[in-house]
Amino acid sequence: MFVSPVRRIDPQGTTGELEALSQWLDFHRSTLLMKLEGLEDSDLRRPMVPSGTSLLGLVKHLAETEHGWFCLEFLRLDEQPLYQTPDDPEAGFRIEPHETVDEIVQTYLDQCERARKIVAEQASLEIDVPENLRGRVNLRWILLHMIEETARHNGHADILRESIDGTIGD
């Protein structure tokens, strides 16, 4: 039975922009793992919609997304994506038989921590980098996008979780 290794903390109502963005992203990161609380491995892996999406697949995808935006796009590190390849762009959503819940959750936690460190080391939200679809994006845009991306997938997780056992929540 899954027990979330993190605790969700409400963002402060009065803080600076960088801290507010960071707190809201952490809020949504921990919300994702809260959605898995109390489920068995088989339920976490179970594809719940025709596309094959599962709760654990959402965690895997968001681990790859954290790595992609903060490490590959923002820092331009010479690393490969965590899961997807040109031949298999959906590998980041799919849970392979050999992958464990602990492994995927730990990868997510590691990528979130790595992203936190990257953000903490920056002098400004205005630092921008080239981006294929938009021309350039700054750190503020990446943080806002990651809040939106994580919150959107939390909505998907709500629906998947309710379909599994009727649990609803925020």
Side-chain angles (χ1 to χ4, degrees):
M1 186 170 297
F2 182 79
V3 177
S4 178
V6 296
R7 198 171 58 92
R8 186 170 76 171
I9 299 171
D10 286 334
Q12 296 174 356
T14 56
T15 189
E17 182 182 17
L18 175 59
E19 189 61 27
L21 293 170
S22 296
Q23 287 179 13
W24 274 107
L25 182 51
D26 277 340
F27 176 85
H28 287 293
R29 287 167 170 157
S30 58
T31 298
L32 176 67
L33 295 178
M34 189 177 80
K35 303 291 178 190
L36 283 63
E37 192 80 38
L39 292 176
E40 298 295 335
D41 183 89
S42 59
D43 285 327
L44 295 172
R45 294 170 168 279
R46 183 169 19 148
M48 297 299 298
V49 293
S51 67
T53 302
S54 67
L55 284 169
L56 194 57
L58 292 174
V59 177
K60 184 177 178 180
H61 166 70
L62 284 168
E64 183 163 66
T65 304
E66 293 271 351
H67 178 256
W69 277 107
F70 292 105
C71 298
L72 304 183
E73 295 291 334
F74 185 71
L75 286 186
R76 317 301 282 181
L77 297 177
D78 187 22
E79 298 178 2
Q80 295 300 310
L82 294 181
Y83 305 108
Q84 72 180 20
T85 66
D87 293 335
D88 192 358
E90 296 302 311
F93 277 104
R94 188 176 55 255
I95 304 303
E96 301 297 344
H98 69 276
E99 294 175 315
T100 68
V101 172
D102 289 344
E103 172 187 299
I104 290 170
V105 169
Q106 190 59 56
T107 299
Y108 181 62
L109 293 172
D110 291 347
Q111 292 307 315
C112 291
E113 183 58 29
R114 199 171 177 199
R116 277 186 210 94
K117 287 179 181 175
I118 290 167
V119 171
E121 292 171 356
Q122 304 312 308
S124 169
L125 291 171
E126 301 301 325
I127 297 169
D128 65 69
V129 295
E131 203 276 325
N132 289 339
L133 297 176
R134 293 159 192 88
R136 297 192 73 79
V137 296
N138 62 21
L139 183 56
R140 176 184 293 103
W141 186 95
I142 293 170
L143 284 164
L144 286 166
H145 174 66
M146 285 305 301
I147 292 167
E148 170 273 325
E149 176 86 0
T150 308
R152 182 168 54 91
H153 287 308
N154 281 342
H156 299 144
D158 280 337
I159 293 166
L160 298 181
R161 179 62 190 257
E162 185 175 357
S163 297
I164 291 169
D165 68 359
T167 299
I168 57 172
D170 59 331

